Amino acid sequence: MIELSQLTFGYGKQKLFDNITLSLKPGHIYGLLGMNGAGKSTLLKNIAGLVFPWSGTCTVNGVSAAKRLPSFLQELFFVPEEIYLPALTATKFADSTGHFYPKFDNKQFIQTLADFDVPADRPLTKLSYGQQKKVLIAFGLATNTSLLIMDEPTNGLDIPSKAQFRKVVASALTDDRCIVISTHQVRDLDNLIDTVVVLHNQQIVLNQSLDEIVEKVNFETIPANSTNYLYAEENISGLNAITQKTEGSYTKVDMELLFNAIITNNKTLTDALNQTNHEQHV
């Protein structure tokens, strides 16, 4: 689906990525995590062909993203962080824009608006920022493009809307669709994504499924005086910790804890995560 090979990019003299290689496949919901300023939005723009790499390549379905061919654009929808919508109702917006996407499903669009509790007959410019965001998310889901990219989509959404967002996005995934969601609000993607991609220090430092991660480390609460951990943070009952995998134990990935550990440049943890299963069992 998406292949980045030795991609280097920056603005002016500021380099954001240095020889990044990344492969994303259909049938997955990827969570692109990184600190503010790490370049998450810029990486998504490279994938969408909105900016061009200094060197290296970015292809989507075997086609260079930078060429922005009509066949490429028909299979891509990008929900940016900052949105600007016309003074149309959601229904009129779908009528004027949906035909650019061959698999656009108007019934799905209207149903998702209803799920989000957003009126379809009010001018978009009269809606709150959060409601406008929901309209664009609903439209993106209804395009049924093979690639859907969303940049900080939960910004502006209240807590109930974030829960509904996770539900409708999960239901829109198919075996031939790839969904990439960037955020710095890590917990917003809990119970939604199946693969974590972390951008840090100009590199992709992690690209693994949650299933792969729990095969390598545990996430657990341990006593405050414990020292046997890869990374830990204090809580009222001890330590939230990432520990070495023990045979027969399986725990849920704590993505916020995982992300915090990685951005502290915890080499012991990243080495453990980047081990292959073969290396672990040798």
Side-chain angles (χ1 to χ4, degrees):
M1 172 67 73
I2 300 172
E3 297 289 341
L4 276 62
S5 178
Q6 297 182 314
L7 187 143
T8 299
F9 179 84
Y11 294 108
K13 294 181 180 180
Q14 181 188 11
K15 184 187 291 185
L16 287 176
F17 318 129
D18 189 14
N19 288 319
I20 282 180
T21 295
L22 177 66
S23 179
L24 305 180
K25 305 298 183 185
H28 296 282
I29 302 177
Y30 291 91
L32 175 61
L33 311 181
M35 299 173 65
N36 284 336
K40 300 185 302 296
S41 297
T42 302
L43 182 60
L44 297 183
K45 289 177 181 177
N46 272 272
I47 294 172
L50 296 172
V51 296
F52 311 132
W54 289 355
S55 62
T57 60
C58 174
T59 61
V60 178
N61 291 324
V63 177
S64 172
K67 293 182 178 180
R68 300 274 292 175
L69 296 176
S71 58
F72 166 83
L73 296 174
Q74 288 179 342
E75 288 296 333
L76 163 72
F77 193 82
F78 184 22
V79 178
E81 181 177 6
E82 299 296 329
I83 59 174
Y84 302 94
L85 294 174
L88 299 173
T89 65
T91 302
K92 291 294 185 182
F93 178 73
D95 289 342
S96 64
T97 310
H99 59 86
F100 290 109
Y101 302 94
K103 293 179 283 188
F104 180 76
D105 186 334
N106 192 66
K107 289 183 178 179
Q108 179 184 353
F109 177 55
I110 297 301
Q111 181 58 57
T112 305
L113 288 179
D115 292 340
F116 276 143
D117 197 24
V118 175
D121 57 354
R122 287 189 61 193
L124 301 177
T125 50
K126 300 295 184 182
L127 301 178
S128 69
Y129 178 76
Q131 287 179 314
Q132 291 182 15
K133 203 72 173 281
K134 293 176 193 176
V135 169
L136 203 56
I137 292 168
F139 185 86
L141 293 170
T143 61
N144 291 295
T145 51
S146 61
L147 175 57
L148 174 61
I149 300 172
M150 293 186 273
D151 188 9
E152 301 285 358
T154 57
N155 280 2
L157 301 187
D158 56 26
I159 292 175
S161 296
K162 289 178 180 181
Q164 190 64 37
F165 167 80
R166 290 190 287 268
K167 180 180 178 181
V168 297
V169 172
S171 67
L173 181 67
T174 61
D175 289 343
D176 57 359
R177 191 175 206 184
C178 177
I179 300 177
V180 184
I181 307 170
S182 83
T183 189
H184 66 279
Q185 301 179 39
V186 179
R187 291 201 180 277
D188 286 353
L189 300 187
D190 268 351
N191 303 315
L192 174 60
I193 67 170
D194 58 65
T195 306
V196 180
V197 180
V198 180
L199 177 62
H200 184 59
N201 289 340
Q202 303 180 350
Q203 297 291 325
I204 299 295
V205 295
L206 182 68
N207 176 20
Q208 289 188 21
S209 72
L210 300 185
D211 288 343
E212 289 177 303
I213 292 169
V214 298
E215 288 287 346
K216 297 173 181 177
V217 295
N218 287 339
F219 297 80
E220 54 187 326
T221 299
I222 60 177
N225 60 356
S226 298
T227 58
N228 187 24
Y229 55 78
L230 300 171
Y231 176 82
E233 296 177 357
E234 292 183 0
N235 66 26
I236 58 174
S237 58
L239 298 174
N240 290 330
I242 303 175
T243 60
Q244 291 282 1
K245 181 73 177 178
T246 55
E247 188 173 353
S249 63
Y250 289 91
T251 59
K252 182 178 183 293
V253 174
D254 183 331
M255 285 201 298
E256 186 170 334
L257 191 67
L258 175 66
F259 177 68
N260 290 343
I262 289 173
I263 64 175
T264 61
N265 301 313
N266 188 313
K267 188 175 186 300
T268 303
L269 173 63
T270 53
D271 285 348
L273 291 173
N274 288 319
Q275 277 186 319
T276 65
N277 289 334
H278 173 71
E279 290 171 331
Q280 283 190 299
H281 292 98
V282 169

